[in-house]
Amino acid sequence: GPDPTRLFSLRYGGAEDAVAALSPYVKSVRARLSFPSRIHIVVEERIEVAYLSIPDGCVVIDAQGVAVEILHTGVPQGIPVIEGITVTSVVLGQALQVADEAAVHSAVVIMDAIIKSDSEDHRFNLFRAVAGLRAISADTIYMTVALPSTGEDLVVRLGTLSQITETVEWLRNAIYNGHCDHLGKGVLDLSGSQKVFRPDA
């Protein structure tokens, strides 16, 4: 490749650029010569973490908020939908342009924390149970979770992200152990220092 850094590190810059241009799902590519006669190509993929509703369908985003696909049909099962966000511009392979970037960032960080939690604890897949998120602001996200044992929807309010890993772990254990079953209609508020279920009036 023409890039001196790539040249001196024995990387094939042209090949890297060509592979990167194939799909917005490609996050990074490294193509290196390995003596005596091999080429190693390592591709890192973007992992879809959520859908964002747009007027004519939805856009699939990764953990960095990069748009990887636009779907003009209904939302497929198994990946949550983020609602309440106004999308101003979509370019595949680039960060999504939205009216409230902080709210999208918070929603994506929450989904990323859930994915990481699922990868460490295989007893219960919380990601698949999340039906959707509604971003009110960066510090107020409402998440709907389908309880696996009853099929009922549990609405959870999440606040600041300072302890999101611990909050996700607490929620996972509470759902897995059945502590959220049969709470009825209301909101499980995890946004403050205490975890409180507030039933609908």
Side-chain angles (χ1 to χ4, degrees):
D3 182 348
T5 304
R6 287 169 164 172
L7 182 63
F8 290 116
S9 62
L10 302 178
R11 286 171 55 194
Y12 290 86
E16 291 176 348
D17 294 341
V19 172
L22 290 175
S23 170
Y25 277 96
V26 176
K27 184 174 183 179
S28 66
V29 184
R30 290 187 62 87
R32 274 189 86 166
L33 173 64
S34 178
F35 288 108
S37 59
R38 293 182 181 216
I39 297 173
H40 284 273
I41 300 176
V42 179
V43 178
E44 182 183 4
E45 296 180 78
R46 297 188 185 279
I47 298 172
E48 52 200 24
V49 298
Y51 295 136
L52 253 80
S53 295
I54 56 177
D56 57 346
C58 61
V59 57
V60 185
I61 60 172
D62 77 344
Q64 285 72 47
V66 172
V68 294
E69 190 174 352
I70 297 174
L71 301 175
H72 296 290
T73 58
V75 176
Q77 294 292 322
I79 296 183
V81 178
I82 298 174
E83 297 178 333
I85 301 293
T86 302
V87 178
T88 57
S89 175
V90 178
V91 177
L92 294 180
Q94 296 182 18
L96 205 62
Q97 300 297 308
V98 295
D100 188 347
E101 290 183 16
V104 171
H105 173 73
S106 293
V108 169
V109 167
I110 290 167
M111 294 313 306
D112 194 44
I114 291 171
I115 290 169
K116 288 177 180 170
S117 175
D118 283 342
S119 70
E120 295 169 2
D121 185 344
H122 302 288
R123 297 176 301 162
F124 162 56
N125 192 303
L126 180 56
F127 182 84
R128 287 198 186 118
V130 176
L133 292 92
R134 177 163 292 278
I136 306 301
S137 69
D139 294 327
T140 306
I141 305 282
Y142 286 89
M143 180 168 67
T144 303
V145 181
L147 297 175
S149 56
T150 66
E152 297 174 348
D153 283 344
L154 173 68
V155 178
V156 181
R157 179 182 177 180
L158 300 166
T160 178
L161 303 178
S162 61
Q163 296 186 354
I164 190 60
T165 301
E166 294 83 358
T167 301
V168 166
E169 284 302 315
W170 184 91
L171 179 61
R172 159 191 293 291
N173 287 323
I175 292 173
Y176 178 77
N177 291 310
H179 300 308
C180 297
D181 295 348
H182 310 296
L183 287 175
K185 299 291 185 184
V187 176
L188 178 59
D189 192 345
L190 306 182
S191 63
S193 57
Q194 296 197 350
K195 297 161 178 62
V196 179
F197 180 74
R198 305 183 192 282
D200 288 349

